[in-house]
Amino acid sequence: MPLARARTSTFAFFALNGFSLGMWVVHIPEILDRTGADKAQLGYLLLLMGGTALVGMQVGGRLIDKLGSQPVVVGAGLALSAVLIGPAVATSVAALAVALGLFGAANGIIDVAQNAQAVEVERAYGRPIISAFHAFFSLGGLAASLVGGVLIAVDADIRLTLGIAAIAGIAVTLVARPGLLRTAPVAPTKADVKRAPWTGRVILLSLLAFVLLLSEGVAYDWSTVHLHDSLDASKTVAAWAFGAFSVTMTAVRLLADRIVGRIGAAAYVQRAALVGALGLFGAALAPSPWVAIVAWAVFGIGLAGCVPQFFSAAGNIDPAASGTYLARVTGTGYLGLLAGPAVIGILTNWVPLTTAFAVPIIGCLLAGLLAPRALRKVSE
């Protein structure tokens, strides 16, 4: 029962994280109108938010190593919920910058803390369960898109909407808190003071997280553009590309742990990354929007369960420095998520969009090739 409660509570934090981010995303147009920010300023604001998230991840990693993941994930859950109201009450670009800076920092801390708690729960279970946690992040984002869309349709006041979401997030955090595992951090000895070096394995895990989250970022920002601009699909049909990718990502994350349990993390990533590469290659060559939609769905199937295996491996390298290692791998992966769309956009100045897709395709192939070396100790 304690392990089951811990698993359920950790699901709740992943869902809370996805829901909070989703509520911000669906309200971006209205927030821009309220603050007077233009698209160019939004780009800088998102860069600021990403930067504070990276800082939050590193701070969160250090706190986890000192305090354990339970108090950090609870504190971050309360903070993330509280600052969610910030963008709604901002009435200027400067105020929005402060709000998004705080939101990004809280998101970075909860990201690494919830993954650290997930690794601890998975370790206690003695079998792979980490992909399912990431599925609940996706489900939280899906719930936000549905709830937010309905409230926007009925013209609900954004301050009331995000205020209620903030209160709900605090309530979820307090209800889920007692079920989390509270493991004492491993006290470092004098010989451990310089623990957590950037070993070859840590660098490799970070690299693989970077290239696969770069690929995931490409799907987020370029799948609909691909259908609309390259295949002349309507905006409605183009939206199905990202929808198909998201649905298969979520569904496979709910199933991936069973497959990993049977064949091992290394073998799973090796095969799944190849499926992802084939899916995006198919999208690039698709002769029609509907073929492309299926290909984007296959791309989601391939990517879904890969990155969680790298996070699990990072968290198990050294119990005394699991937070630090997780922060490094998640932070580097997050850089890939931010960089992916930008890299593709820059390349389209010289080559067609479908040719630019060669970057994430090669990234997937690279991940499949190197996964056995990065995950060998975890899968054996």
Side-chain angles (χ1 to χ4, degrees):
M1 286 297 295
L3 278 182
R5 286 186 63 197
R7 188 179 187 184
T8 301
S9 294
T10 310
F11 281 151
F13 278 99
F14 274 84
L16 169 63
N17 189 196
F19 183 80
S20 299
L21 284 174
M23 290 298 283
W24 144 249
V25 169
V26 298
H27 287 95
I28 286 177
E30 184 173 354
I31 290 170
L32 293 183
D33 289 341
R34 286 176 56 82
T35 59
D38 57 30
K39 292 181 179 178
Q41 289 171 322
L42 175 62
Y44 289 113
L45 290 169
L46 292 177
L47 184 62
L48 169 66
M49 182 176 166
T52 57
L54 287 172
V55 172
M57 287 177 183
Q58 306 314 308
V59 172
R62 297 294 179 87
L63 289 174
I64 291 164
D65 290 340
K66 291 182 178 180
L67 306 174
S69 66
Q70 190 263 7
V72 180
V73 75
V74 171
L78 293 173
L80 182 68
S81 300
V83 299
L84 179 58
I85 189 66
V89 299
T91 55
S92 67
V93 175
L96 182 58
V98 173
L100 291 182
L102 294 173
F103 189 69
N107 179 63
I109 295 174
I110 197 173
D111 193 318
V112 68
Q114 68 192 10
N115 274 291
Q117 177 71 194
V119 169
E120 291 175 14
V121 175
E122 182 182 58
R123 191 183 300 134
Y125 263 83
R127 59 183 173 86
I129 59 171
I130 197 166
S131 292
F133 293 118
H134 289 260
F136 273 78
F137 176 87
S138 301
L139 290 172
L142 178 60
S145 67
L146 296 174
V147 173
V150 170
L151 292 175
I152 291 172
V154 300
D155 200 27
D157 190 309
I158 185 175
R159 292 167 295 184
L160 178 62
T161 296
L162 294 189
I164 293 174
I167 293 172
I170 291 172
V172 168
T173 299
L174 295 177
V175 170
R177 174 184 172 276
L180 294 172
L181 291 183
R182 188 178 180 92
T183 55
V186 179
T189 64
K190 291 183 178 180
D192 295 328
V193 172
K194 295 184 178 181
R195 190 172 282 217
W198 277 93
T199 63
R201 188 166 182 233
V202 174
I203 293 172
L204 185 55
L205 287 169
S206 300
L207 171 65
L208 298 187
F210 178 88
V211 297
L212 287 186
L213 282 173
L214 180 150
S215 302
E216 191 172 324
V218 170
Y220 288 151
D221 287 4
W222 290 100
S223 56
T224 55
V225 175
H226 167 232
L227 263 73
H228 186 262
D229 291 358
S230 300
L231 298 173
D232 296 323
S234 67
K235 292 181 179 179
T236 301
V237 173
W240 279 96
F242 180 66
F245 173 83
S246 300
V247 168
T248 55
M249 278 275 287
T250 304
V252 172
R253 280 175 171 172
L254 290 170
L255 301 172
D257 292 322
R258 295 183 181 181
I259 303 173
V260 172
R262 291 182 179 179
I263 68 174
Y268 175 85
V269 174
Q270 190 175 37
R271 291 160 175 76
L274 177 59
V275 171
L278 291 174
L280 188 54
F281 186 69
L285 298 180
S288 70
W290 297 109
V291 173
I293 289 171
V294 173
W296 282 107
V298 173
F299 189 45
I301 291 172
L303 291 186
C306 292
V307 172
Q309 309 312 317
F310 303 144
F311 292 170
S312 178
N316 282 294
I317 291 174
D318 184 349
S322 61
T324 299
Y325 281 131
L326 260 172
R328 289 174 181 173
V329 176
T330 57
T332 308
Y334 190 72
L335 279 175
L337 190 67
L338 294 174
V343 168
I344 297 301
I346 293 171
L347 287 176
T348 56
N349 290 319
W350 297 286
V351 299
L353 176 60
T354 51
T355 303
F357 285 164
V359 172
I361 290 172
I362 292 172
C364 289
L365 294 174
L366 182 67
L369 179 66
L370 297 179
R373 180 176 299 179
L375 298 171
R376 185 178 298 114
K377 292 182 181 179
V378 176
S379 60
E380 290 179 349

